[in-house]
């Protein structure tokens, strides 16, 4: 039986919530919805948290000077603009106020609707209304979901990019999550989106120590390896441990397996000890390029199928960076690699292919996921002008195309990136008509083909092998060559 109760927040607001005797409980907090279900009110499970002044100070810092979802003008992170704050409001379930009466707690936005399963998510389980924790989409849990819920490679790469951007922004603010895991990241592969939750336990290095060491499977090897030591000699969660959990999550999304769980057994007597060694001191990447002793018996596709950028990042994360935290790729490197990889995607011609997309590579003649034969289609090679050397160009990157692909300003300039600072204006779209490829100019003011012919707004430029085009707008615009 629910009844309406009221809390008072630090900002002086009175907020009503629906009290029930058996609220949902996590490891740290229990949760109640507001009557309109737009927000949740959360209280700590342990009363001693209320007496801990560090907890209160940390909450104030997280809601204030370290908050990327508020502009600096609104009391958020230093230098944060309103546009950037709005961008990251969709990527975090960030607390908006602190409850001070009747006890310490927080107020958070409720998760957006797309992060809850509906009645069509599964024919085997009743998942209606349950939140989409990442664990549902990895390894054995996937079998309970209907195929329509699983998304495809493009959606999972977009989820990974959004996650990398969010972690990068946290780290830029000086924060670490400390428990980045399948339980604290909700994902929606259908829309290519994710949201990070449990923000109130963030670690501010050197100021607010972590409350937890993390979730098994995502805890960094250096943390697990020293858990038996006295507390003062252990490795605590930090930015570096986030940089282990981040690629573990992304590897699980893309390959539906754990990067360290292979066939190798480290202790036959104790399953728990074996797991600690497997994830900690003896951790070995299942795709290690030299040592294949932990290789799974079945590995239908590998990091090589994800293109050069992600292959190199996964190798760094799980070989040289596995036991040397300082060598792990940063979240910004992952963000950049995922952004570049998304522009290498090509649509699989097989309508029944579960992944629907693949990362295009030279000399490739089949889809790595379904095996169907693929045709070679044109792709774009972009070149940037060498500084202070007018007319001299150097290779920048590749963009593979499909009908309906939209090109933004970050595709046409060498100094714009797909992040919160970009304008995200649609400059052009790729179209295929009667077997011929075209680029339609949507918002480019100075588009010219290789012969110097002007292509007006809403006009079409044919994409054919060994031709050039360029958008003459500023010193950072790129030259494009059509290859096949």
């Amino acid at each position: 039986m629910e009844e309406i109760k009221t809390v008072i927040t630090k900002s002086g607001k009175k907020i009503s919530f629906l009290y029930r005797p058996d609220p949902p409980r996590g490891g740290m907090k229990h949760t109640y919805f507001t009557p309109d279900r737009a927000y949740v009110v959360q209280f700590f499970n342990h009363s001693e948290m209320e007496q801990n002044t560090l907890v209160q100070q940390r909450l104030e810092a997280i809601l204030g000077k370290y908050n990327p979802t508020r502009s600096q003008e609104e009391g958020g992170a230093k230098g944060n603009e309103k546009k950037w704050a709005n961008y990251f409001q969709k990527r975090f379930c960030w607390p908006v106020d602190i409850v001070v009466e009747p006890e310490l707690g927080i107020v958070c936005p409720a998760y957006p609707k797309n992060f809850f399963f509906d009645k069509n998510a599964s024919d085997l389980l009743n998942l209606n209304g349950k939140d989409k924790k990442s664990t549902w989409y990895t390894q054995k849990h996937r079998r309970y979901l209907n195929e329509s819920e699983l998304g495809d490679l493009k959606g999972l790469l977009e989820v990974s990019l959004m996650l990398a951007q969010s972690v990068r922004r946290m780290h830029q603010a000086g924060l670490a999550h400390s428990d980045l895991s399948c339980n604290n990241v909700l994902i929606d592969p259908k829309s290519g989106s994710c949201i990070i939750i449990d923000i109130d336990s963030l670690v501010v290095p050197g100021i607010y120590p972590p409350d937890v060491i993390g979730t098994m499977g995502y805890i960094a090897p250096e943390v697990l390896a020293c858990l038996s030591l006295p507390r003062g000699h252990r490795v605590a969660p930090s930015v570096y441990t986030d940089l282990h959990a981040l690629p573990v999550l992304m590897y699980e999304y893309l390959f539906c397996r754990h990067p360290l769980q292979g066939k190798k057994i480290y202790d036959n007597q104790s399953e728990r000890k074996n797991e600690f060694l497997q994830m900690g001191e003896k951790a070995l990447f299942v795709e290690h390029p030299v040592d294949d002793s932990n290789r799974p018996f079945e590995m239908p596709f590998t990091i090589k199928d994800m293109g050069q950028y992600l292959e190199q990042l996964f190798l760094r994360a799980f070989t040289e960076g596995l036991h040397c935290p300082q060598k792990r790729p940063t979240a910004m490197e992952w963000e950049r690699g995922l952004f570049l990889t998304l522009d290498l995607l090509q649509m699989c011609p097989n309508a029944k292919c579960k992944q629907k997309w693949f990362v295009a590579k030279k000399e490739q003649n089949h889809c790595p996921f379904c095996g169907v034969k693929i045709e070679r289609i044109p792709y774009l090679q972009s070149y940037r002008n060498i500084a202070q050397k007018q007319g001299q160009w150097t290779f920048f990157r590749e963009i593979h195309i499909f009908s309906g692909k939209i090109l933004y300003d970050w595709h046409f300039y060498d100094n714009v990136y797909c992040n919160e600072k970009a304008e995200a204006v649609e400059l052009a779209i790729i179209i295929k008509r009667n077997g011929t490829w075209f680029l339609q100019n949507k918002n480019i003011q100075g588009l010219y083909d290789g012969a110097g012919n002007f292509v007006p707004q809403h006009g079409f430029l044919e994409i054919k092998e060994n031709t050039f085009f360029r958008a003459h707008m500023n010193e950072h615009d790129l030259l494009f060559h059509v290859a096949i």
Side-chain angles (χ1 to χ4, degrees):
M1 185 70 180
E2 292 182 334
E3 60 176 303
I4 295 179
K5 292 192 174 185
T6 303
V7 298
I8 298 175
T9 69
K10 188 175 179 63
S11 64
K13 295 178 181 176
K14 291 184 177 180
I15 296 178
S16 299
F17 69 95
L18 298 172
Y19 175 81
R20 50 187 286 188
D22 58 340
R25 287 182 181 268
M28 299 287 291
K29 302 179 296 294
H30 49 285
T31 301
Y32 304 94
F33 279 94
T34 57
D36 61 1
R37 301 187 74 82
Y39 292 88
V40 295
V41 177
Q42 297 181 307
F43 300 105
F44 294 99
N45 294 335
H46 307 292
S47 57
E48 60 266 23
M49 297 289 283
E50 187 173 6
Q51 309 304 320
N52 190 331
T53 56
L54 277 180
V55 171
Q56 298 181 45
Q57 291 173 8
R58 177 169 61 194
L59 289 175
E60 291 172 3
I62 289 170
L63 265 73
K65 62 181 180 178
Y66 294 105
N67 189 345
T69 67
R70 283 184 186 170
S71 66
Q72 180 178 345
E73 190 176 334
E74 296 169 320
K78 185 177 180 180
N80 210 32
E81 296 184 8
K82 181 66 176 175
K83 172 188 168 184
W84 307 346
N86 291 339
Y87 186 90
F88 283 107
Q89 281 176 5
K90 300 173 184 177
R91 287 156 169 76
F92 295 103
C93 193
W94 207 278
V96 295
D97 213 338
I98 300 172
V99 176
V100 293
E101 292 184 23
E103 58 184 286
L104 183 66
I106 56 173
V107 179
C108 289
Y111 310 146
K113 290 182 179 179
N114 63 303
F115 293 111
F116 291 97
F117 289 115
D118 61 26
K119 62 182 179 181
N120 300 314
S122 175
D123 293 331
L124 301 174
L125 298 175
N126 179 15
L127 299 179
N128 192 27
K130 292 186 180 294
D131 48 10
K132 296 182 179 180
K133 292 182 178 179
S134 297
T135 186
W136 285 108
Y137 295 90
T138 60
Q139 303 189 68
K140 60 184 179 182
H141 296 93
R142 290 173 59 86
R143 68 179 185 268
Y144 296 113
L145 300 179
N146 291 337
E147 193 171 313
S148 60
E149 187 65 46
L150 297 176
D152 52 39
L153 179 62
K154 183 172 180 286
L156 291 168
L157 285 169
E158 289 170 343
V159 166
S160 300
L161 174 60
M162 185 175 283
L163 179 58
Q165 285 183 331
S166 302
V167 173
R168 181 262 300 168
R169 186 63 187 90
M170 274 195 308
H171 291 177
Q172 283 180 330
L175 299 168
H177 191 282
S178 82
D179 190 16
L180 198 61
S181 72
C182 60
N183 294 321
N184 294 325
V185 180
L186 308 183
I187 74 172
D188 178 29
K190 292 189 292 186
S191 65
S193 58
C194 72
I195 189 167
I196 299 179
I197 63 175
D198 282 356
I199 300 300
D200 55 288
S201 296
L202 294 180
V203 178
V204 182
I207 305 176
Y208 307 111
D211 294 321
V212 294
I213 63 166
T215 300
M216 197 62 178
Y218 306 91
I219 303 172
E222 66 271 17
V223 175
L224 279 180
C226 65
L227 278 183
S228 60
L229 298 177
R231 186 172 293 274
H233 297 275
R234 299 176 187 174
V235 176
S238 67
V239 165
Y240 288 121
T241 61
D242 281 355
L243 294 179
H244 172 74
L246 173 62
V248 169
L249 281 166
M250 295 189 296
Y251 189 90
E252 287 188 312
Y253 298 158
L254 297 173
F255 300 99
C256 303
R257 59 177 181 260
H258 194 282
L260 306 179
Q261 289 177 339
K263 66 183 179 184
K264 197 167 186 176
I265 303 298
Y266 300 91
D267 191 297
N268 288 305
Q269 306 301 317
S270 169
E271 186 176 334
R272 178 174 172 79
K273 186 175 180 181
N274 180 68
E275 186 178 26
F276 267 73
L277 290 171
Q278 181 185 58
M279 300 291 174
E281 181 184 350
K282 301 292 185 180
L284 177 66
F285 184 32
V286 296
E287 295 192 53
H288 195 285
V290 178
D291 187 346
D292 63 357
S293 60
N294 197 32
R295 197 84 83 236
F297 294 108
E298 290 186 14
M299 204 161 61
F301 45 93
T302 71
I303 55 175
K304 290 185 180 296
D305 295 310
M306 292 299 157
Q308 59 174 325
Y309 303 112
L310 295 190
E311 179 185 2
Q312 291 305 313
L313 287 168
F314 278 124
L315 282 174
R316 283 177 55 198
F318 297 132
T319 55
E320 56 186 307
L322 188 58
H323 296 285
C324 186
Q326 292 79 6
K327 293 186 177 181
R328 292 169 187 161
T330 64
M332 185 177 288
E333 288 179 279
W334 282 108
E335 181 181 1
R336 179 67 174 161
L338 286 156
F339 158 62
L340 293 172
T341 300
L342 276 162
D343 276 330
L344 299 180
L345 285 184
Q346 192 171 320
M347 193 177 292
C348 180
N350 178 10
K352 295 182 179 180
C353 180
K354 292 184 178 180
Q355 292 290 1
K356 297 183 176 59
W357 306 84
F358 60 90
V359 179
K361 295 185 290 186
K362 290 181 175 64
E363 309 304 324
Q364 190 169 20
N365 56 18
H366 67 280
C367 171
F369 305 112
C370 70
V372 73
K373 187 176 180 180
I374 58 175
E375 63 172 323
R376 307 272 318 158
I377 65 173
Y379 64 94
L380 309 179
Q381 296 175 324
S382 63
Y383 294 81
R384 63 180 172 187
N385 192 241
I386 299 175
Q388 299 179 338
K389 293 185 178 180
Q390 189 66 30
Q392 295 188 39
W393 302 82
T394 183
F395 178 78
F396 189 56
R397 69 187 185 97
E398 288 182 7
I399 301 173
H400 286 253
I401 64 173
F402 53 87
S403 189
K405 181 175 178 66
I406 297 171
L407 301 180
Y408 298 89
D409 50 359
W410 54 78
H411 292 112
F412 285 90
Y413 301 105
D414 67 5
N415 66 336
V416 179
Y417 300 96
C418 176
N419 58 27
E420 68 274 16
K421 297 181 181 180
E423 294 300 328
V425 175
E426 296 182 4
L427 295 186
I429 185 170
I430 304 295
I431 296 172
K432 188 178 184 182
R433 287 181 177 172
N434 301 320
T436 303
W437 293 91
F438 295 94
L439 180 146
Q440 183 182 14
N441 180 4
K442 298 189 73 176
N443 286 295
I444 303 173
Q445 300 304 314
L447 181 63
Y448 292 85
D449 65 18
N453 299 311
F454 176 66
V455 181
Q457 197 168 357
H458 307 301
F460 293 85
L461 183 154
E462 185 177 349
I463 299 175
K464 56 183 178 180
E465 186 178 2
N466 210 29
T467 58
F468 292 84
F469 64 90
R470 183 184 175 191
H472 293 270
M473 289 182 276
N474 63 40
E475 69 273 18
H476 292 284
D477 60 56
L478 298 166
L479 174 68
F480 291 89
H481 171 248
V482 180
I484 193 166

